[in-house]
């Protein structure tokens, strides 16, 4: 690893750490400077992640040993195509959400918004880069603890109730995470994921039962983070109760669970793991299909636009994990493309919902007929584009993503189930969003009067941010060739764990294998 790349890899973790500390300790009551520091930090992370993605596109996997303690004894940060892509997605989303929070004044509702935001980014970036299973747990805890505070941002009884549930559920998940890590460490004697992959492949039959138990416990934890049925119950209430701006950032957090499932499933328990290979695939796929159905059917049960947006996150995770769960390289590339699309589309929908709720007065985001409101024409267009992005209709990238997934799973024995679930839930999504749109916009046109215009911060600039996220969906469509080439290459790389192992363990890898 060249010094420049090493500095950039470390910067992805250090930058939000330093900026979060500065805004917490020195700028707590200086909102203007906190905004400047936060936006600057997010913009710098976009530049860092962009440079790392360009470097990773060459196919080289880079490993940085913290404190120069070589793996498997020290902590390593590992950069490959998948981790670089997730860093870039996180930083772009964070910059958009931070700009929206500033121009609309959402960050004014609490003194700790900016440091908590930066600490969430610290945890996310660390989780995507770490090559150590215990440090994956540590970074999970960092962004979860910060997310607790963000979830409660703006206060309110409903938000507090959802926050308590969110805390309790994730504390249970954290406890199970430690149990799973302890089981695997007790058997393999290592926490480094590359070294663990080597040792799991060579494990004697007598140890495989405990290894399988540890793997299944970790899978339950990651499925909880990814909101996979039946562990999805926490998400709709939490995402609908929090500020939509925070929920827009949280659109990336379920993808951390998916990332962990992909990383551990292909590296540690991939085809080289012998009898433990693809250990969780048999139950992950049925759960993913049910998640798709539950998520999109939940759109009809929603009583508010925020609840619809929350259920759409569950449904999109089901589509994503349906492709991941077949554990085929030809399906993983489309799944990674869909990660990009679903994260940006989900975030855009939450921001549009926030703008609609603020302009409808006492009606808020409830799915009820109300008089026309300020900027209803503009917001109807943004809502329409967000809706077709979520359900996967042309011309936005969701259509391409779903087509690629359907094509990628064709050779899988379970292909028919995946096809039926995706196609039927797409129709359900269209009907649900059409019903919501007609109540909020079309039927409102027949109601006499208009809702008085209130003084709104960022009336046009907030809409510009949401439009920018939707524009990125157009970019994913127009640049579909290069983007899918990258995601296909990333999929091929994660299905070749020897590259990762050699990059992390170096000269010792061959001897260990």
């Amino acid at each position: 690893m060249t010094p420049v790349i090493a500095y950039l890899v470390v910067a992805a973790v250090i930058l939000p750490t330093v900026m979060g500390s500065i805004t917490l300790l020195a700028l707590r009551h200086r909102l203007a400077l906190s905004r400047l520091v936060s936006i600057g930090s997010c913009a710098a992370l976009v530049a860092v992640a962009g440079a790392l993605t360009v470097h990773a596109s060459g196919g080289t996997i880079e490993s940085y040993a913290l404190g120069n303690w070589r793996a498997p004894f020290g902590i390593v940060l590992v950069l490959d195509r998948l981790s670089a892509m997730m860093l870039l997605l996180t930083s772009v989303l964070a910059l958009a959400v931070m700009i929206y929070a500033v121009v609309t004044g959402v960050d004014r509702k609490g003194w700790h918004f900016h440091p908590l935001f930066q600490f969430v980014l610290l945890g996310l970036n660390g989780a995507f880069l770490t090559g150590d299973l215990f440090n994956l747990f540590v970074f999970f805890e960092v962004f979860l603890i910060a997310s607790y505070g963000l979830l409660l941002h703006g206060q309110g009884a409903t938000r507090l109730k959802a926050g308590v549930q969110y805390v309790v559920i994730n504390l249970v998940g954290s406890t199970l995470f430690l149990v799973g890590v302890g089981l695997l460490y007790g058997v393999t004697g290592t926490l480094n994921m590359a070294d663990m992959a080597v040792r799991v492949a060579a494990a004697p039959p007598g140890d495989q039962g405990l290894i399988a138990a540890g793997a299944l416990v970790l899978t339950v934890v990651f499925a909880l983070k990814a909101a996979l049925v039946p562990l999805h119950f926490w998400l709709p209430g939490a995402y609908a109760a929090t500020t939509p701006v925070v929920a827009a950032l949280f659109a990336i957090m379920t993808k951390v669970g998916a990332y962990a499932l992909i990383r551990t499933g292909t590296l540690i328990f991939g085809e080289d793991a012998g009898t433990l290979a693809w250990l969780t695939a048999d139950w992950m796929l049925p759960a993913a299909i049910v998640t798709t159905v539950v998520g999109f059917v939940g759109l009809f049960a929603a009583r508010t636009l925020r609840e619809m947006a929350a259920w759409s996150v569950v449904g999109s995770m089901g589509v994503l994990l349906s492709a991941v769960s077949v554990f085929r390289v030809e399906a993983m590339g489309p799944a990674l493309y869909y990660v990009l699309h679903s994260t940006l589309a989900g975030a855009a929908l939450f921001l549009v919902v926030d703008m609609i709720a603020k302009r409808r007065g006492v009606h808020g985001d409830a799915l009820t007929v109300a008089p026309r409101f300020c900027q209803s024409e503009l917001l109807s267009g943004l809502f329409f584009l967000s809706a077709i992005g979520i359900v996967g209709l042309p011309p936005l990238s969701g259509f391409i993503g779903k087509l690629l997934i359907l094509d990628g799973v064709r050779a899988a024995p379970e292909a028919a189930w995946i096809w039926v679930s995706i196609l039927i839930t797409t129709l359900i999504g269209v009907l649900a969003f059409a019903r919501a749109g007609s109540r909020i916009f079309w039927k409102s046109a027949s109601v006499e009067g208009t809702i008085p215009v209130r003084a709104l911060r960022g009336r046009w600039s907030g809409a510009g941010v949401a439009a920018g996220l939707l524009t990125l969906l157009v970019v994913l469509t127009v640049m579909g060739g290069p983007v899918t080439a990258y995601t296909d290459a990333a999929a091929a790389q994660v299905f070749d764990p020897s590259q990762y192992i050699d990059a992390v363990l170096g000269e010792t890898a061959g001897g260990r294998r």
Side-chain angles (χ1 to χ4, degrees):
M1 178 183 289
T2 64
V4 173
I5 298 301
Y7 294 147
L8 291 176
V9 168
V10 174
V13 177
I14 294 298
L15 187 60
T17 305
V18 173
M19 296 306 173
S21 300
I22 290 174
T23 54
L24 176 64
L25 300 176
L27 304 177
R28 181 181 176 186
H29 299 294
R30 305 179 71 177
L31 183 59
L33 287 178
S34 292
R35 289 173 164 178
L36 183 63
V37 169
S38 292
I39 292 178
S41 174
C42 292
L45 284 175
V46 171
V48 168
L52 290 176
T53 303
V54 171
H55 179 77
S57 65
T60 302
I61 298 179
E62 304 282 9
S63 174
Y64 179 80
L66 297 177
N68 206 30
W69 285 86
R70 304 302 303 172
F73 308 106
I75 300 170
V76 293
L77 301 178
V78 186
L79 178 75
D80 63 356
R81 289 188 178 104
L82 176 58
S83 58
M85 184 193 83
M86 297 305 294
L87 285 178
L88 183 59
L89 176 62
T90 301
S91 58
V92 169
L93 175 65
L95 179 60
V97 173
M98 177 54 69
I99 292 175
Y100 183 91
V102 169
V103 299
T104 58
V106 172
D107 61 333
R108 290 176 173 269
K109 296 181 179 181
W111 290 112
H112 298 106
F113 179 85
H114 292 283
L116 289 172
F117 195 98
Q118 294 299 316
F119 291 139
V120 167
L121 296 183
L122 161 63
L124 291 171
N125 291 350
F128 293 136
L129 285 171
T130 186
D132 183 277
L133 202 55
F134 182 76
N135 280 279
L136 180 63
F137 164 78
V138 171
F139 284 121
F140 264 52
E141 292 308 295
V142 169
F143 75 73
L144 285 173
I145 291 172
S147 70
Y148 300 155
L150 281 182
L151 183 69
L152 299 175
H153 181 72
Q155 303 177 353
T158 302
R159 199 162 294 167
L160 179 60
K161 179 181 177 181
V164 171
Q165 294 173 344
Y166 181 78
V167 169
V168 171
I169 290 167
N170 280 285
L171 283 176
V172 173
S174 299
T175 303
L176 290 176
F177 201 155
L178 280 179
V179 171
V181 170
L183 284 171
L184 290 175
Y185 178 74
V187 177
T188 63
T190 186
L191 293 170
N192 182 278
M193 288 191 282
D195 194 35
M196 187 176 291
V198 174
R199 299 191 185 199
V200 166
D207 290 341
Q208 292 182 358
L210 281 176
I211 293 175
L216 291 173
V217 171
L218 285 185
T219 302
V220 169
V221 174
F222 300 149
L224 176 67
K225 309 300 184 187
L228 191 66
V229 167
L231 304 172
H232 70 292
F233 52 87
W234 61 272
L235 189 148
Y239 281 34
T242 191
T243 305
V245 176
V246 173
L249 177 65
F250 283 8
I252 190 66
M253 289 177 59
T254 50
K255 307 307 185 295
V256 183
Y259 169 86
L261 288 169
I262 294 170
R263 180 66 75 193
T264 57
T266 56
L267 176 61
I268 303 175
F269 302 104
E271 62 180 11
D272 294 335
T275 58
L276 297 172
W278 317 124
L279 182 65
T280 60
D282 289 341
W283 74 266
M284 269 183 61
L285 182 56
I289 291 174
V290 175
T291 302
T292 306
V293 175
V294 169
F296 282 98
V297 171
L299 295 175
F300 275 109
R303 295 168 296 178
T304 66
L305 289 176
R306 279 185 290 183
E307 290 179 2
M308 289 192 70
W311 280 109
S312 71
V313 173
V314 176
S316 66
M317 287 304 300
V319 174
L320 167 62
L321 292 173
S322 294
V324 170
S325 300
V326 300
F327 287 106
R328 291 172 176 261
V329 66
E330 60 269 21
M332 190 64 74
L336 297 181
Y337 180 90
Y338 193 76
V339 167
L340 299 173
H341 162 80
S342 60
T343 303
L344 297 174
L349 180 59
F350 274 112
L351 297 186
V352 172
V353 167
D354 183 57
M355 289 184 285
I356 293 172
K358 289 178 177 178
R359 287 156 178 77
R360 294 185 78 215
V362 295
H363 300 279
D365 64 334
L367 294 178
T368 56
V369 179
R372 291 170 60 85
F373 53 91
C374 173
Q375 294 182 305
S376 58
E377 294 83 2
L378 171 63
L379 293 179
S380 66
L382 293 177
F383 179 80
F384 173 75
L385 291 175
S386 301
I388 66 173
I390 289 292
V391 300
L393 295 181
L396 298 183
S397 50
F399 180 70
I400 295 177
K402 287 190 173 181
L403 280 183
L404 291 174
I405 287 175
L406 294 176
D407 182 62
V409 302
R410 278 188 308 163
E414 309 84 359
W417 290 100
I418 299 174
W419 274 60
V420 169
S421 66
I422 291 178
L423 293 176
I424 290 179
T425 54
T426 298
L427 176 60
I428 292 173
V430 170
L431 295 175
F433 278 105
R435 182 195 66 160
S438 67
R439 289 184 179 180
I440 299 296
F441 299 103
W442 183 59
K443 292 183 179 180
S444 295
S446 62
V447 179
E448 293 185 2
T450 59
I451 296 175
V453 179
R454 298 185 304 152
L456 294 173
R457 291 181 177 272
R459 181 181 303 178
W460 293 102
S461 51
V465 174
L469 287 175
L470 293 171
T471 301
L472 291 179
L473 301 185
V474 177
V475 172
L476 285 178
T477 303
V478 175
M479 300 295 292
V483 175
T484 54
Y486 183 94
T487 57
D488 288 344
Q493 194 172 60
V494 298
F495 274 89
D496 183 11
S498 60
Q499 294 185 45
Y500 189 101
I501 294 170
D502 290 339
V504 174
L505 300 181
E507 297 177 357
T508 64
R512 290 178 181 272
R513 287 202 296 269

